[in-house]
Every structure is written in structure tokens, then in C-alpha cells.
């Protein structure tokens, strides 16, 4: 398929090495302002995806992020933040990166070029048709991701793609293509910049809205967050003070006894 790879077009800026630090920072920031608008234009597709995920997750379905390089790392990052933030077990949202965990820190040669490996990696998690597979690839041409999406879709999974290039092959592979056109990167072809920022924003939107829909937030608070450090214990205690009108020390004791704001609140109210 012939398509215009916008993410690889020359930067709108040149002679970067001759610019002052202030000029560099200002121009990068100017480009970054375009990202949120690009994501906003993709909200209808993101909404369709989130709605489908929630329907499946209520029946036991999971989310799998699939990617290579920067895209893979961002998927793994979003998945890794779900347990501490929302108290969900690590098995509900899973990030898979081409080349395995070693690729989180080091480039793994040719890992993204294997069309079959993505589906093999998914099968290790006993994927089912209730699951959702989200492929992330700025270029929209990553064989590892495209192969995984095609096989997952054929298997009955809900599939989506996050890319910066309209008409890219990944858009054909996924049921729901999410395209955010952020334009050429400040450093030509460096998709870790605007494309990566947009991918992070979209992953945030997907996982956060899904978790809210799944009842992991009350009001505007992370009532199921894990109490992994003193900052979070203090935050949870203050929320209980506010919610239950208890003295701080009593609220803290209750929180530590039950392990989360929600469980402490339910126990105190006899639910």
C-alpha cells in the first residue's frame, strides 16, 4: 500500500546545531503544542475502543499493548502503572515489547521485523477472544505489531492501532485505527518526540477511562491505589479524614488495617 509517511517528513526547522538553547526549547515546545490537538481529533475512535474494552473486561477480558522500541516501552509503562494506581492485578493490562524485557533498556536487533513473533508472544498469555490487543507504531509499518494485530483480529479479539500516519498498513490490520497526525518531528524522523508524546496521552486516556468505568475511582480519587510508600499512605489517610470525618491517626490506622481507601471506607460503614 502506498501512503504518505508523515512522521518521516523533514522537520519544519533546520540548522538546529546553530540555534541557542532557548531557541531549541522554544521550538520544541511549539511543536509539542500540536500534539494535544491531534489527539483530540482522534477522540471518536478512542471512545469506540474504550467502550468495547469495558464490555469485554466486565466479562474477564484483558488489554494487551503491543509495540517495538519507544512505542513498546510506552505500552509497558502504561500497563505497569495500573496496579499501583488502581489496585488491579498486573494480569489485567499487559505490555508486550518486541525483543522482550531486555528491549526496555537496549535496542534488540531485528526484533520488530518478525511478523510471526507478536502473535507467539500473545499466545504465551493464553489470549482469548474477550481480550483487546492495541498495537502501537508511529510509522504504522512495524511487522511485529501488524502481524500480532492480524492474527488477534482473526482469532476474535478486539483490535486497535495507534499510529501517526493515515493509511498505514497497521490501519488495515486493526478494527479500530486511532490516527493522530502530529506532523514532522522536530528532529526529522525522531518519533520518540511528538509521536511518543501523543501515544502516551492516548494510553493514559484509554487505561484511565477504562479503570473509571470499571469502578476503580470514586469521585475523583484513586480509592484502590496500593499503599507502597509513605506519600501514598498520607494521601489515603487524608482522603479518609475528608470522607469519614475521622481524626488523622484513626483514619491512618483504619487505612493500614484494610489496605485501601475503598476497603477502609466500606469496613467503617459496615458494607
Amino acid at each position: 500500500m502506498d501512503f504518505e509517511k508523515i512522521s518521516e517528513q523533514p522537520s519544519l526547522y533546520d540548522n538546529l546545531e546553530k540555534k541557542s538553547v532557548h531557541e531549541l526549547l522554544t521550538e520544541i515546545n511549539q511543536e509539542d503544542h500540536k500534539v494535544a490537538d491531534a489527539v483530540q481529533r482522534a477522540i471518536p475512535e478512542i471512545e469506540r475502543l474504550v467502550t468495547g474494552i469495558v464490555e469485554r473486561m466486565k466479562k474477564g477480558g484483558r488489554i494487551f499493548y503491543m509495540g517495538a522500541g519507544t512505542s513498546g516501552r510506552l505500552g509497558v509503562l502504561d500497563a505497569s502503572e495500573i496496579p499501583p494506581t488502581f489496585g488491579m492485578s498486573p494480569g489485567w493490562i499487559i505490555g508486550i515489547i518486541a525483543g522482550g524485557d531486555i528491549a526496555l533498556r537496549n535496542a534488540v536487533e531485528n526484533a520488530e521485523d518478525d511478523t510471526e513473533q507478536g502473535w507467539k508472544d500473545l499466545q504465551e498469555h493464553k489470549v482469548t477472544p474477550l481480550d483487546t490487543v492495541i498495537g502501537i507504531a508511529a510509522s504504522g509499518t512495524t511487522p511485529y505489531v501488524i502481524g500480532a494485530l492480524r492474527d488477534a483480529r482473526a482469532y476474535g479479539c478486539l483490535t486497535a492501532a495507534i499510529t501517526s500516519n493515515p493509511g498505514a498498513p497497521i490501519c488495515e490490520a486493526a478494527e479500530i485505527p486511532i490516527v493522530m497526525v502530529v506532523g514532522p518531528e522536530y528532529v526529522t524522523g525522531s518519533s520518540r518526540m511528538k509521536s511518543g508524546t501523543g501515544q502516551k496521552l492516548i494510553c493514559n486516556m484509554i487505561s484511565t477511562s477504562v479503570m473509571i468505568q470499571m469502578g476503580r475511582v470514586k469521585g475523583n480519587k484513586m480509592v484502590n491505589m496500593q499503599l507502597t510508600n509513605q506519600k501514598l499512605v498520607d494521601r489515603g489517610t487524608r482522603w479518609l479524614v475528608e470522607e469519614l470525618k475521622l481524626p488523622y491517626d484513626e483514619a491512618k490506622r483504619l487505612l493500614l488495617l484494610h489496605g485501601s481507601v475503598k476497603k477502609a471506607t466500606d469496613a467503617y460503614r459496615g458494607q
Side-chain angles (χ1 to χ4, degrees):
M1 181 197 307
D2 292 328
F3 73 100
E4 183 180 26
K5 195 177 284 189
I6 297 171
S7 61
E8 296 291 336
Q9 289 184 348
S11 172
L12 302 178
Y13 307 83
D14 203 355
N15 299 312
L16 303 187
E17 72 280 7
K18 298 179 181 178
K19 296 180 183 291
S20 68
V21 171
H22 180 77
E23 288 174 312
L24 293 172
L25 298 178
T26 299
E27 290 174 356
I28 291 171
N29 181 249
Q30 286 172 350
E31 288 301 299
D32 285 343
H33 273 280
K34 299 176 181 179
V35 179
D37 289 338
V39 172
Q40 182 184 38
R41 290 190 287 271
I43 285 178
E45 291 74 30
I46 302 171
E47 180 181 1
R48 181 182 165 202
L49 173 60
V50 169
T51 302
I53 290 172
V54 172
E55 290 175 357
R56 287 162 172 77
M57 190 167 274
K58 286 181 177 178
K59 300 174 183 176
R62 300 163 292 172
I63 299 173
F64 290 91
Y65 289 121
M66 303 286 295
T70 297
S71 298
R73 294 181 189 105
L74 288 168
V76 171
L77 172 62
D78 194 69
S80 69
E81 291 174 338
I82 299 308
T85 305
F86 299 106
M88 295 285 280
S89 71
W92 283 98
I93 301 183
I94 299 167
I96 300 176
I97 184 171
D101 285 354
I102 191 174
L104 292 172
R105 293 182 180 273
N106 301 285
V108 177
E109 188 174 357
N110 299 322
E112 69 176 60
D113 298 327
D114 190 334
T115 307
E116 308 297 326
Q117 189 60 46
W119 178 241
K120 291 178 183 177
D121 290 346
L122 276 171
Q123 287 179 306
E124 289 184 7
H125 295 273
K126 296 182 172 57
V127 66
T128 79
L130 286 174
D131 294 329
T132 300
V133 180
I134 303 172
I136 310 173
S139 67
T141 59
T142 308
Y144 175 86
V145 178
I146 292 172
L149 287 173
R150 285 176 177 164
D151 288 340
R153 187 176 184 181
Y155 188 64
C157 299
L158 176 63
T159 55
I162 302 173
T163 183
S164 298
N165 291 303
I170 199 173
C171 296
E172 291 293 321
E175 181 180 343
I176 304 175
I178 298 170
V179 182
M180 43 141 196
V181 183
V182 295
E185 297 288 359
Y186 185 69
V187 175
T188 299
S190 182
S191 57
R192 58 178 283 274
M193 300 187 75
K194 286 190 297 180
S195 289
T197 299
Q199 289 168 356
K200 175 60 175 162
L201 291 176
I202 292 172
C203 288
N204 282 349
M205 293 166 75
I206 293 169
S207 59
T208 303
S209 56
V210 166
M211 289 295 101
I212 293 171
Q213 291 287 302
M214 292 296 293
R216 309 305 291 185
V217 171
K218 183 177 181 181
N220 55 20
K221 295 180 174 63
M222 301 177 289
V223 293
N224 292 283
M225 66 182 179
Q226 294 179 354
L227 306 176
T228 54
N229 57 53
Q230 289 303 311
K231 176 191 73 175
L232 298 180
V233 170
D234 176 67
R235 180 187 297 166
T237 299
R238 287 185 286 104
W239 288 349
L240 285 179
V241 169
E242 177 184 337
E243 181 71 17
L244 302 177
K245 311 305 179 187
L246 294 173
Y248 184 93
D249 289 345
E250 186 177 346
K252 183 176 181 179
R253 181 195 63 78
L254 190 68
L255 177 66
L256 294 176
L257 176 64
H258 295 284
S260 76
V261 173
K262 185 178 188 305
K263 290 178 181 178
T265 302
D266 290 347
Y268 185 79
R269 290 176 171 164
Q271 296 179 4

